[in-house]
């Protein structure tokens, strides 16, 4: 076998929330061919000594067996398990390798679903029943600024997306396909360890998957061309060294990033030049009940209905940081903070920094305390990204093994699952038909790379002082939502495909196959139908410039004492367009610019709130389809108008300031002359 430079590594799979268990002594580096064998054998011996893998007589056992598979997946976290299931459902032979036996129990972060996550995990991940019965029902996402040193939300600027068609609900009752509806709309907050246990059981049941759960990968050799790759792993129970030949290697090793580091794909080392790097600190707590959230957590909508903020994924912003609050089942809660390293909070340890930030928000005082802490974790450097997700040399990096930017919007798992779906298409065609679609690989790498950069552009300016400006707070989030909702019809088509096939392409109808071919080009934020005619790099550049311009205007206003009134806006799956015109005509008092629901039947609305539009004889399901299709265009139009008005308003304020300055200077000069004259007369 012709072998390229191998990657030597001692591997203990680490997920997003498991850095506590990372092996500091693990070396991940390319080595020269001349000393490859001796170094590999030495490392293998060290590993067996460390793991105490001995024969009954106490002597190390070195024995090699060789086998073949279509795909080796390294890492059995939630992304590795999803990849193994997805590939096996395509009829491929999969070997999943991880060392679950020696892993310490971890509560992990607690996962909040958004956009694509629910559909993939309920179908490919076989978690529909678990998610429905064992997870915390999430009503949406809630973002606030202005709760520092306050015991309520009264003077906060807030932006929220209400997504609450959880049954009992008229939309769920009307849905002809309940599973499609659950996958499309019912977002939840899951406990990761229990979810992964359920997926492990599904992996063990699935024909075509060999699950090696007591092993550590010790060597990966990536071969060029059409040659087979070679993965060597050490069995922690027997001490046997095993070699498996494989067509594809999929790295789901989390923040270990075996292939990204070993093969020079860690792009942030070359590209992170703007100084923006973040640290995350978080804990999971127990004993959290509804009674801990007082009246201050209640929000009243303009139509008189109430909702509880704590039933959403809550984001509390401060200067250079944000805090998440994620309620979970079993009376647990995940609370954490991510901060810009350039404005790190005081504290000698990560825990001190964590509590320093938490205690700035009295609304959390009754919710968590050190005594109820189950587990605490930290990441020194959160952000990293890769320049390649799928290589034409038949290897891939998915999840944190590839890229992660920020927990904001919970996009780590969502984008990883999208990449996994594209990867499954590529691998299936290559292994089954001998067609390595290089054009598709290039499209995935190019668009996915820009998708991650777009997520970074979403959060970068929010960590600056601009976040304190109410208009920036709202318009920045409107722009973000426009990106997410731009894939609404694409997500609807993907969800239909997933529910119909459960990820198994043998179950496809001709219509499903056409949908899958179309999704291969459009299932990316940077290639959404709204701007598909633009190159992904251009889409990212425009979005980044819009965010930067909004932030620059906001910082100018703050620097020059322009204090704008607070704004509150709650959107809905069925109420997508905020009343942005109130930003221009609302005056100096705070405004609620929440959108009007376009779907709810008139007879279900609070008395006196229905309009003539609500009374039109159009079925709710038809209205919902229209909203999903048209909301990105409506939001684009609304944002564009508000963005232009924001620019004009700020320019006028600048001009007024320049006009006032000469007269101000003259007045100051006259006053100085007058004071000098008085002193002379004295």
């Amino acid at each position: 076998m012709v072998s390229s430079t191998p990657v030597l590594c001692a591997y203990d799979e680490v997920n997003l929330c498991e850095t506590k268990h990372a092996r500091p002594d693990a070396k991940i580096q390319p080595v020269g061919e001349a000393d490859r064998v001796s170094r590999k054998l030495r490392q293998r011996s060290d590993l067996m000594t460390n793991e105490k893998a001995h024969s009954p007589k106490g002597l190390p056992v070195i024995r090699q067996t060789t086998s073949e598979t279509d795909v080796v997946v390294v890492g059995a976290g939630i992304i590795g398990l999803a990849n193994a299931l997805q590939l096996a459902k395509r009829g491929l032979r999969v070997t999943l390798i991880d060392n679950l036996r020696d892993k310490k129990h971890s509560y992990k972060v607690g996962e909040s679903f958004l956009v694509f996550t629910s559909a993939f995990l309920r179908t490919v991940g076989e978690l529909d029943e678990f998610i429905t019965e064992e997870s915390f029902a999430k009503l949406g996402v809630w973002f606030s600024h202005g709760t520092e040193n306050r015991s309520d939300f009264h003077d906060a600027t807030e932006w929220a997306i209400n997504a609450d068609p959880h049954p009992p609900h008229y939309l769920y009752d009307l849905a002809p396909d309940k599973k499609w509806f659950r996958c499309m709309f019912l977002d939840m907050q899951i406990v990761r360890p229990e979810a992964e246990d359920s997926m492990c059981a599904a992996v063990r049941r699935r024909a075509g998957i060999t699950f090696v759960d007591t092993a550590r990968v010790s060597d990966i050799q990536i071969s060029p061309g059409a040659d087979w790759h070679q993965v060597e792993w050490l069995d922690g129970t027997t001490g046997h060294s095993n070699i498996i030949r494989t067509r594809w290697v999929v790295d789901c090793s989390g923040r270990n990033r075996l292939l990204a580091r070993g093969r020079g794909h860690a792009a942030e080392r070359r590209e992170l030049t703007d100084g923006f790097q973040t640290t995350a600190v978080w804990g999971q707590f127990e004993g959290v009940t509804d009674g801990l959230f007082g009246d201050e957590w209640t929000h009243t909508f303009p139509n008189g209905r109430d909702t509880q903020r704590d039933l959403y994924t809550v984001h509390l912003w401060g200067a250079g940081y944000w805090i998440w609050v994620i309620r979970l089942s079993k009376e647990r809660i995940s609370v954490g903070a991510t901060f810009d390293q350039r404005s790190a909070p005081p504290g000698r340890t990560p825990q001190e920094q964590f509590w320093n930030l938490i205690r700035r928000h009295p609304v959390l005082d009754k919710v968590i305390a050190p005594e109820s802490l189950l587990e605490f974790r930290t990441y020194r450097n959160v952000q990293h990204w890769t320049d390649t997700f799928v290589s034409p040399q038949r290897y891939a990096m998915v999840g944190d093994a590839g890229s992660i930017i920020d927990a904001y919007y919970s996009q780590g798992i969502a984008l990883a699952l999208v990449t996994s779906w594209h990867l499954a298409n590529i691998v299936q065609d290559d292994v089954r038909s001998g067609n390595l679609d290089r054009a598709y690989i290039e499209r995935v790498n190019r668009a996915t790379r820009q998708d991650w950069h777009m997520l970074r552009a979403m959060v970068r300016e929010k960590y600056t002082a601009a976040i304190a400006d109410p208009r920036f707070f709202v318009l920045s989030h409107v722009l973000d939502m426009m990106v997410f909702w731009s894939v609404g019809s694409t997500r609807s088509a993907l969800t239909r495909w997933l529910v119909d096939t459960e990820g198994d392409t043998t179950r496809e109808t001709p219509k499903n196959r056409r949908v899958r071919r179309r999704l291969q080009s459009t299932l990316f934020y940077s290639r959404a139908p709204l701007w598909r005619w633009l190159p992904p790099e251009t889409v990212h550049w425009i979005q980044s410039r819009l965010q930067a311009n909004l932030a620059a205007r906001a910082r100018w206003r703050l620097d020059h004492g322009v204090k704008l009134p607070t704004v509150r806006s709650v959107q809905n799956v069925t109420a997508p367009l905020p009343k942005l015109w109130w930003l221009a005509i609302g005056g100096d008092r705070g405004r609620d610019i929440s959108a009007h629901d376009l779907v709810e039947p008139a007879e279900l609305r609070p008395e006196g709130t229905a309009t003539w539009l609500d009374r039109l004889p159009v079925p709710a399901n038809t209205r919902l389809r229209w909203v999903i299709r048209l909301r990105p265009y409506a939001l684009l139009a609304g944002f564009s108008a508000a963005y232009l008005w924001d620019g004009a308003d700020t320019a006028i304020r600048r001009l007024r300031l320049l006009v006032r300055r000469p007269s101000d200077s003259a007045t100051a000069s006259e006053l100085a002359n007058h004071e000098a004259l008085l002193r002379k007369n004295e």
Side-chain angles (χ1 to χ4, degrees):
M1 180 181 72
V2 179
S3 176
S4 67
T5 303
V7 177
L8 293 189
C9 54
Y11 168 65
D12 186 5
E13 197 275 330
V14 178
N15 285 304
L16 175 61
C17 311
E18 298 182 295
T19 51
K20 180 179 177 181
H21 305 317
R23 291 171 52 89
D25 59 329
K27 304 297 182 183
I28 307 173
Q29 57 184 351
V31 297
E33 185 67 26
D35 61 339
R36 178 182 62 82
V37 175
S38 61
R39 290 182 63 177
K40 182 167 66 174
L41 288 174
R42 182 168 63 251
Q43 187 184 37
R44 187 193 314 150
S45 177
D46 291 342
L47 279 171
M48 285 188 297
T49 301
N50 290 338
E51 289 300 307
K52 299 180 181 180
H54 299 290
S55 69
K57 295 183 179 180
L59 298 176
V61 176
I62 300 178
R63 184 181 306 149
Q64 288 191 346
T65 59
T66 303
S67 57
E68 288 186 356
T69 191
D70 295 323
V71 187
V72 168
V73 177
V74 183
I78 196 166
I79 298 301
L81 292 163
N83 272 270
L85 286 167
Q86 185 151 232
L87 292 163
K89 289 182 177 185
R90 304 292 186 102
L92 302 171
R93 298 172 299 162
V94 180
T95 299
L96 176 62
I97 304 175
D98 198 355
N99 181 24
L100 300 184
R101 184 196 63 172
D102 295 332
K103 279 187 179 177
K104 297 179 182 179
H105 177 269
S106 172
Y107 289 96
K108 304 186 180 180
V109 71
E111 203 64 49
S112 172
F113 287 4
L114 197 67
V115 190
F116 299 109
T117 309
S118 182
F120 277 110
L121 292 185
R122 287 180 184 271
T123 55
V124 174
E126 302 183 14
L127 288 179
D128 187 35
E129 182 178 351
F130 171 86
I131 291 171
T132 300
E133 298 181 359
E134 303 291 335
S135 300
F136 190 90
K138 162 184 171 178
L139 302 191
V141 288
W142 200 284
F143 309 92
S144 299
H145 178 275
T147 60
E148 280 190 321
N149 304 314
R150 294 192 58 88
S151 57
D152 55 46
F153 293 82
H154 290 329
D155 293 328
T157 291
E158 297 188 289
W159 168 267
I161 304 296
N162 176 272
D164 181 26
H166 293 271
H169 192 280
Y170 76 94
L171 283 177
Y172 189 79
D173 294 339
L174 292 173
D177 187 332
K178 297 296 190 284
K179 184 164 186 178
W180 179 89
F181 192 90
R182 290 195 299 273
C183 291
M184 186 71 184
F185 296 113
L186 302 192
D187 284 342
M188 310 290 271
Q189 295 174 167
I190 65 170
V191 282
R192 278 275 294 277
E194 288 86 342
E196 290 176 5
D197 288 345
S198 181
M199 292 178 73
C200 279
V203 164
R204 297 183 197 281
R205 294 192 302 266
R206 173 63 54 178
I209 300 179
T210 301
F211 191 4
V212 185
D213 61 359
T214 60
R216 297 178 185 230
V217 172
S218 55
D219 183 24
I220 302 175
Q221 294 184 51
I222 301 297
S223 301
D227 289 336
W228 291 66
H229 306 321
Q230 185 168 292
V231 177
E232 184 172 352
W233 52 274
L234 184 75
D235 191 320
T237 59
T238 66
H240 293 181
S241 175
N242 300 272
I243 294 175
I244 187 166
R245 300 173 69 237
T246 179
R247 303 294 300 172
W248 281 80
V249 177
V250 180
D251 182 5
C252 300
S253 64
R255 298 181 73 90
N256 277 321
R257 305 184 73 201
L258 302 185
L259 292 178
R261 288 172 173 163
R263 300 191 65 80
H265 294 301
E268 78 283 352
R269 297 178 179 178
R270 305 182 298 274
E271 299 174 2
L272 204 162
T273 58
D274 58 3
F276 174 51
Q277 179 59 277
T278 51
T279 294
V281 287
W282 71 93
Q284 192 163 139
F285 299 81
E286 64 180 346
V288 177
T289 62
D290 292 342
L292 297 180
F293 299 90
D295 292 341
E296 67 273 13
W297 287 84
T298 302
H299 171 75
T300 302
F301 295 115
N303 63 11
R305 290 172 175 165
D306 290 339
T307 191
Q308 286 293 118
R309 291 177 176 87
D310 58 285
L311 302 181
Y312 296 69
T313 303
V314 178
H315 309 69
L316 305 177
W317 272 101
Y321 74 93
W322 67 278
I323 292 170
W324 73 75
V325 181
I326 304 175
R327 292 190 65 182
L328 304 169
S329 60
K330 303 180 180 179
E331 297 186 349
R332 303 207 301 252
I333 193 170
S334 172
V335 179
T338 304
F339 58 83
D340 190 330
Q341 293 178 1
R342 295 169 295 188
S343 56
R348 293 171 298 175
T349 66
Q351 281 209 43
E352 288 184 4
Q353 292 178 307
F354 170 81
W355 287 110
N356 177 280
L357 295 176
I358 297 302
R359 286 167 181 150
R360 298 182 190 183
H361 297 264
V363 293
L364 296 174
D365 286 349
K366 299 176 184 178
V367 179
I368 60 173
E371 307 82 57
S372 61
L373 179 65
L374 293 170
E375 185 176 44
F376 181 82
R377 295 200 175 280
T378 183
Y379 282 158
R380 175 71 180 90
N381 296 313
V382 174
Q383 301 177 47
H384 63 250
W385 57 89
T386 181
D387 58 17
T388 302
F389 295 88
V390 183
S391 170
Q393 288 187 286
R394 295 183 173 85
Y395 63 87
M397 293 155 284
V398 185
D400 288 6
S403 298
I404 188 67
I405 296 298
D406 201 281
Y408 210 61
Y409 293 126
S410 306
Q411 286 298 287
I413 287 184
L415 276 187
L417 292 171
V418 169
T419 303
S420 301
W421 185 84
H422 288 298
L423 173 65
N425 294 326
I426 293 167
V427 175
Q428 180 183 10
D429 285 349
D430 178 45
V431 174
R432 289 292 175 224
S433 307
N435 173 34
L436 183 63
D437 192 338
R438 294 178 182 271
Y440 189 9
I441 291 173
E442 171 61 23
R443 182 165 64 250
V444 169
N445 287 327
R446 184 181 179 189
T448 305
R449 184 167 164 79
Q450 297 310 314
D451 286 358
W452 281 107
H453 286 320
M454 289 173 71
L455 291 178
R456 192 170 190 265
M458 288 180 184
V459 300
R460 182 175 55 216
E461 298 294 350
K462 292 182 179 68
Y463 280 91
T464 72
I467 196 68
D469 180 84
R471 193 187 299 165
F472 168 81
F473 191 90
V474 169
L475 291 182
S476 178
H477 284 96
V478 170
L479 178 55
D480 298 344
M481 201 51 52
M482 188 173 68
V483 172
F484 292 133
W485 281 353
S486 70
V487 295
S489 59
T490 302
R491 183 163 71 96
S492 177
L494 171 69
T495 302
R496 180 76 272 158
W497 184 89
L498 287 169
V499 171
D500 288 349
T501 67
E502 297 286 328
D504 182 350
T505 51
T506 64
R507 297 171 57 176
E508 285 183 319
T509 64
K511 182 178 180 180
N512 292 143
R513 282 192 288 274
R514 290 193 298 271
V515 168
R516 181 158 65 98
R517 283 195 296 270
R518 185 173 73 250
L519 291 173
Q520 290 175 2
S521 296
T522 60
L523 188 55
F524 307 94
Y525 290 131
S526 56
R527 289 180 59 88
L530 198 59
W531 41 69
R532 186 182 173 188
W533 50 276
L534 289 173
E537 295 81 4
T538 302
V539 175
H540 164 236
W541 183 85
I542 293 173
Q543 176 243 4
S544 180
R545 292 312 307 160
L546 291 173
Q547 289 283 5
N549 290 342
L550 288 171
R553 297 168 188 170
R555 287 191 290 268
W556 182 89
R557 290 192 291 267
L558 294 168
D559 290 343
H560 291 81
V562 179
K563 186 176 182 180
L564 299 177
T566 59
V567 180
R568 184 167 285 114
S569 179
V570 181
Q571 311 317 113
N572 198 301
V573 171
T574 55
L577 186 62
K579 300 170 184 175
L580 294 174
W581 54 88
W582 281 113
L583 297 177
I585 63 177
D588 295 331
R589 57 194 179 92
R591 280 284 181 179
D592 191 317
I593 62 170
S594 298
H596 182 75
D597 193 311
L598 301 175
V599 177
E600 185 177 26
E603 62 271 18
L604 298 180
R605 297 172 185 264
E607 185 177 356
T609 63
T611 67
W612 64 269
L613 184 64
D614 306 324
R615 296 188 177 92
L616 292 177
V618 180
N621 279 338
T622 302
R623 290 174 181 256
L624 182 61
R625 286 196 298 271
W626 290 354
V627 166
I628 292 174
R629 291 175 182 172
L630 297 178
R631 66 185 179 184
Y633 301 96
L635 205 57
L636 174 61
F639 171 79
S640 299
Y643 176 84
L644 293 173
W645 175 82
D646 177 60
D649 176 69
T650 307
I652 291 171
R653 292 176 187 272
R654 287 175 183 264
L655 183 61
R656 287 174 178 170
L657 186 64
L658 289 174
V659 170
R660 283 200 304 266
R661 279 178 177 172
S663 60
D664 292 346
S665 299
T667 301
S669 177
E670 292 171 1
L671 181 60
N673 291 336
H674 180 66
E675 291 177 347
L677 181 62
L678 289 176
R679 286 194 298 271
K680 182 178 180 180
N681 292 335
E682 291 174 356

